[in-house]
Amino acid sequence: MIRNVAIVSLSSGLAGEGFARHEVEIGIKRLESCGLNVRFMPHALKGIDYVRNHPKERAQDLLKAFRDPDIDMILCAIGGDDTYRMLPYLFGHGELAAAVTSKVFLGFSDTTIDHFMLHKVGLDTFYGQSFLADICELDRDMLPYTRRYFEELIRTGTIREIRPSDVWYESRTAFTPDQIGTPLKAHTDRGFELLQGSPTFSGKILGGCIDSMYDMFDGGRYADMPALCKEYGLFPARDDWQGKILLLESSEEKMPPQVYTNALRYLKSAGVFEGVSGILVGKPMDEVYEQEYKQALVEVVDDPCLPIVCNVNTGHALPRCIIPLGVEATVDAREQMIRF
């Protein structure tokens, strides 16, 4: 059972800003109500500008959290867009490999890059929730579906099975104190949707936010990111994808369909679709471009035998489950479950 949680800001320093203080206070109370001891790592609350300008200190926080034997779980404050800048401080002299210990690591969005870092050094991680985005939800409690998986993780240290949510929520557009207690607008959801291929497939899940994966190949956001990722061999090699299940979900930027198509083409050129046993696709935020993304997947993958299951409640759309990465999983779209 998890007792001690360390919160890290590996991308954005949003958690340290005064305008987010009410959210942070809500989140701390909720974690403590779950019986957890909460610790913010030294630079996690330094604010947006400091965190942006000090990737070395971000890396130090992550290493310190792994080295501390009292910490059971590392929880990312939120995503962002430049966690790749920690690479030289984690892999320049094998720092991460030397520090990493068996702890629960949870985050999503740009944290996809950190999941790949930890995959590279052999640690299985958990994808799908973060402190600000989930624990600090401004409604009177965490979203029930989200809370169920978080509580399972802290109670057991793992996730045994995922089933779809009965509802999905429109994204919140304001996070000011006057929004506290305001519920999100809910809609009936449709469950896991088989886009093509067999409804049943197995493998270890690997992947995350397609926006972050796109930036590993395309320098449009950060010109140095593709070269740095290549220098440190961050994107898994072609043979590493053999038998895996690819997880894809899209961010709050609501990537235009043509960019989504380009991102899929990069993955195809890297040999991902040749090796995987299937693809899991997270529900797009607010269902924007849902049909266009499905069309792009069918066209770019260009293999009707490769299973693709869409509308999984993971990533940026609400609510969110938690997906274990690196653990053998069986997807059964007919039975509407993913079992680990």
Side-chain angles (χ1 to χ4, degrees):
M1 187 171 183
I2 292 169
R3 293 293 187 189
N4 301 308
V5 175
I7 297 177
V8 292
S9 294
L10 303 181
S11 297
S12 167
L14 178 65
E17 295 295 329
F19 59 77
R21 187 172 296 118
H22 61 289
E23 295 179 80
V24 171
E25 290 173 354
I26 288 170
I28 292 172
K29 289 178 181 177
R30 286 190 182 143
L31 290 177
E32 290 177 344
S33 72
C34 292
L36 300 172
N37 302 310
V38 184
R39 183 191 311 178
F40 288 87
M41 298 310 289
H43 305 95
L45 295 176
K46 293 283 189 177
I48 291 172
D49 289 343
Y50 185 93
V51 170
R52 179 190 300 119
N53 295 324
H54 294 84
K56 182 177 181 180
E57 283 74 7
R58 291 184 241 165
Q60 289 174 345
D61 280 0
L62 182 62
L63 295 172
K64 184 180 178 68
F66 271 117
R67 289 172 181 145
D68 189 331
D70 292 330
I71 291 174
D72 306 309
M73 175 180 181
I74 301 172
L75 174 62
C76 292
I78 199 169
D81 65 11
D82 74 341
T83 196
Y84 80 94
R85 294 174 60 214
M86 297 195 304
L87 278 165
Y89 310 107
L90 296 175
F91 290 93
H93 298 92
E95 293 91 342
L96 185 60
V100 76
T101 51
S102 182
K103 300 181 189 294
V104 169
F105 178 89
L106 176 63
F108 77 105
S109 192
D110 189 47
T111 306
T112 295
I113 303 300
D114 302 297
H115 286 290
F116 279 132
M117 293 179 189
L118 293 167
H119 172 74
K120 187 174 174 64
V121 297
L123 183 71
D124 297 337
T125 55
F126 295 86
Y127 191 90
Q129 296 182 10
S130 72
F131 177 65
L132 279 175
D134 296 285
I135 313 302
C136 304
E137 163 57 40
L138 290 177
D139 202 349
R140 287 173 292 181
D141 200 350
M142 289 176 66
L143 301 177
Y145 181 86
T146 301
R147 184 183 183 97
R148 180 179 23 148
Y149 288 101
F150 182 75
E151 289 181 340
E152 180 182 354
L153 182 62
I154 62 173
R155 186 179 68 253
T156 69
T158 191
I159 300 293
R160 294 297 182 191
E161 183 180 279
I162 292 169
R163 292 192 179 268
S165 173
D166 294 332
V167 299
W168 67 273
Y169 302 91
E170 293 183 18
S171 56
R172 194 177 290 281
T173 57
F175 296 86
T176 48
D178 63 348
Q179 295 298 304
I180 295 174
T182 304
L184 295 164
K185 186 175 181 178
H187 302 268
T188 301
D189 212 342
R190 306 180 304 276
F192 301 155
E193 298 178 341
L194 182 66
L195 183 61
Q196 65 171 42
S198 170
T200 306
F201 52 97
S202 299
K204 296 178 179 179
I205 300 174
L206 181 61
C209 182
I210 191 171
D211 305 56
S212 296
M213 286 187 266
Y214 177 63
D215 292 340
M216 296 174 77
F217 296 95
D218 184 276
R221 189 189 305 268
Y222 290 107
D224 65 332
M225 185 170 173
L228 204 58
C229 290
K230 184 175 182 181
E231 178 181 350
Y232 291 102
L234 186 60
F235 192 78
R238 187 177 296 249
D239 60 354
D240 197 0
W241 290 101
Q242 289 296 318
K244 297 284 198 311
I245 296 172
L246 171 64
L247 171 64
L248 293 177
E249 60 92 6
S250 47
S251 82
E252 78 284 357
E253 293 181 355
K254 298 173 181 175
M255 180 183 280
Q258 185 55 55
V259 181
Y260 190 89
T261 299
N262 292 341
L264 292 175
R265 287 173 177 159
Y266 277 125
L267 296 179
K268 186 170 187 173
S269 69
V272 175
F273 301 140
E274 297 173 11
V276 295
S277 63
I279 303 173
L280 289 175
V281 183
K283 186 184 191 73
M285 198 170 181
D286 298 320
E287 294 191 336
V288 174
Y289 296 134
E290 184 174 40
Q291 297 307 316
E292 291 88 342
Y293 290 172
K294 288 178 180 177
Q295 182 179 348
L297 280 159
V298 170
E299 291 178 355
V300 176
V301 169
D302 194 24
D303 178 3
C305 293
L306 182 64
I308 302 177
V309 171
C310 301
N311 206 50
V312 180
N313 302 110
T314 188
H316 287 74
L318 293 169
R320 288 181 266 264
C321 66
I322 293 174
I323 295 182
L325 302 181
V327 177
E328 194 67 30
T330 296
V331 178
D332 191 330
R334 188 179 292 114
E335 294 297 323
Q336 293 285 289
M337 69 89 183
I338 306 169
R339 184 167 290 131
F340 300 93

